[in-house]
Amino acid sequence: MLLKIKGIFFTRFFIKKINPIELIFDNFDDDSNYSRSTLLYKKIALIGAGTLGSNLANILMRNGSGLPNTEATLVIIDNDIFKPENFSRHHLGLNYVGLPKAAALAHDLKIRNPYANIQEKINSVEKIDLNNFDIIIDSTGEEALTLYLSKSVHKLKTNALLISAWITDAGKIIEAFAQPNNAKSACFNCCRKSAIYTKAEIQKLPMRDSCQSIYIPFPVTASLQAAILVSKILNQHIVSPYKTTTFFKQTIEPIDKVQTEIIDKNRDCLICWKS
C-alpha cells in the first residue's frame, strides 16, 4: 500500500510471524470439524509417486500431512526412477529426471514447505512395516498390489484405513476403494466381484498394471481429478471414520457426480470370507 504524505510516497509493510499449523488452518473455516481433526495428527504411507501419487502428495502436504507435531509423518514409498516421459502428468519438473521418484518428490515438497516432515522409502512396499501408519494410500494403479495391500491390512495390529485409487477406461473413469481394518470389512477381491466395479479392462487384460503395461494417453486433469477424489475420501474419513468397505466411481469425461457403494463380503471370495 502506498501512502502519500507531503508529496512523498511511503510504503506500508506488514510483518506476520509464520506458524506452520496456522498456515494450514488458513484453508479451513473456524467452525469446521476438519480443522479440529486434520491430517496434522495422522501417519500416512503414500505408496506410489507417479502421476496420481505425486499430485496427491502435493494436496496432502498443503492439507497438513507431515507438519511437525507429535509423530505425524508423510512417507512416500516408490522404487522407480523419474523419466522424461513421466513429465506431462507428473507434479515434478524435468530437473528431477534420473532421480528416484520418492526422493525427488519428498525434496520438492520440502522446498515448498520446509516445515513438512516428509520421508521417502526407495524400496518395495513388501519391505515396509505398515503397522506404523494410520492411513495407507495406494496410488500405483497396480491391481496386484491393491490385492496384496487389501490382504495385508487385515493382518495389521492398528486400525489403519486403506485407500486405493486408479484411472480406467482410457482416462474417462476414476475408481477408488476404501477399506477399514475391522472384522466386518470386505476385501478388494470382494470389490472386484461387485456390480459397480468397471470390468471392461479385466476382459481385455488379466489385471490393471498401472502405466507400465500398455501406454494409454490421458490428460493430467484426469490425474488431478483422481487426487481430488482421494482427498475428499480422506477428509470424510477424518470427520467420520469409515466403518465399512466402500467403493467410489466417477466419470470425468464428461464429469459426473461420484457414485458410492458399500461393499459386503462375497461368499465366493477365498480371501476374506474365511475371516
Side-chain angles (χ1 to χ4, degrees), residues 2 30 38 59 75 78-79 91-93 95 121 123 136-137 146 157 184 208 214 221 231 236 247 254 256 271:
L2 290 177
D30 291 338
T38 72
I59 294 175
V75 178
D78 197 306
N79 59 0
H91 173 75
L92 292 176
N95 53 314
K121 299 288 184 182
N123 45 20
I136 302 162
I137 303 175
T146 308
K157 300 175 183 178
K184 296 181 179 180
R208 285 185 287 108
I214 298 176
T221 49
S231 180
Q236 179 59 44
F247 182 72
D256 198 2
I271 296 175

Side-chain angles (χ1 to χ4, degrees), residues 17 23 34 45 60 66 93 99 105 135 151 153 158 181 189-190 207-208 213 216 219 248 250 253 257 260 262-263 271:
K17 184 178 180 180
L23 287 175
Y34 187 69
L60 294 176
L99 298 177
L105 184 57
I135 297 166
K151 291 187 290 185
V153 165
T158 60
N181 181 20
N189 193 46
C190 295
M207 304 184 83
R208 285 185 287 108
S213 53
I216 301 175
F248 307 85
Q250 183 179 27
E253 192 180 311
K257 66 178 182 179
T260 304
I262 302 299
I263 304 297
I271 296 175

Side-chain angles (χ1 to χ4, degrees), residues 9-229:
F9 286 96
F10 294 87
T11 301
R12 178 179 293 177
F13 292 94
F14 295 90
I15 300 175
K16 181 178 180 180
K17 184 178 180 180
I18 297 177
N19 181 302
I21 295 180
E22 286 184 358
L23 287 175
I24 300 302
F25 279 176
D26 283 344
N27 290 321
F28 309 108
D29 297 332
D30 291 338
D31 296 332
S32 170
N33 288 328
Y34 187 69
S35 68
R36 291 189 290 272
S37 180
T38 72
L39 299 182
L40 295 169
Y41 308 99
K42 301 296 181 183
K43 299 177 183 178
I44 301 177
L46 175 60
I47 304 167
T51 175
L52 171 53
S54 64
N55 288 294
L56 177 58
N58 181 46
I59 294 175
L60 294 176
M61 181 266 290
R62 294 174 189 274
N63 275 359
S65 178
L67 278 189
N69 62 68
T70 62
E71 298 179 359
T73 55
L74 172 61
V75 178
I76 302 170
I77 304 167
D78 197 306
N79 59 0
D80 196 11
I81 300 297
F82 184 61
K83 306 178 184 66
E85 56 266 32
N86 301 141
F87 168 74
S88 63
R89 296 188 300 205
H90 209 279
H91 173 75
L92 292 176
L94 290 172
N95 53 314
Y96 289 104
V97 167
L99 298 177
K101 287 181 180 178
L105 184 57
H107 177 267
D108 185 82
L109 294 177
K110 283 187 281 190
I111 289 178
R112 299 169 189 274
N113 183 359
Y115 298 111
N117 180 14
I118 300 175
Q119 304 172 16
E120 72 275 4
K121 299 288 184 182
I122 310 173
N123 45 20
S124 61
V125 68
E126 291 87 351
K127 299 180 181 179
I128 306 296
D129 183 6
L130 297 177
N131 280 294
N132 297 322
F133 300 101
D134 303 304
I135 297 166
I136 302 162
I137 303 175
D138 168 25
S139 67
T140 64
E142 298 180 14
E143 190 166 6
L145 181 57
T146 308
L147 285 166
Y148 166 80
L149 291 171
S150 180
K151 291 187 290 185
S152 299
V153 165
H154 277 317
K155 300 176 183 178
L156 297 179
K157 300 175 183 178
T158 60
N159 295 321
L161 175 75
L162 168 65
I163 301 176
S164 182
W166 56 92
I167 301 168
T168 186
D169 197 16
K172 297 178 182 178
I173 294 176
I174 303 166
E175 295 179 335
F177 167 80
Q179 175 186 323
N181 181 20
N182 60 54
K184 296 181 179 180
S185 63
C187 73
F188 179 63
N189 193 46
C190 295
C191 178
R192 293 174 71 236
K193 296 176 180 293
S194 68
I196 194 174
Y197 185 79
T198 298
K199 297 179 173 59
E201 276 196 75
I202 297 178
Q203 294 170 1
K204 297 175 185 177
L205 301 171
M207 304 184 83
R208 285 185 287 108
D209 191 21
S210 71
C211 57
Q212 305 300 324
S213 53
I214 298 176
Y215 177 70
I216 301 175
F218 57 83
V220 66
T221 49
S223 304
L224 293 171
Q225 282 291 143
I228 291 170
L229 177 59

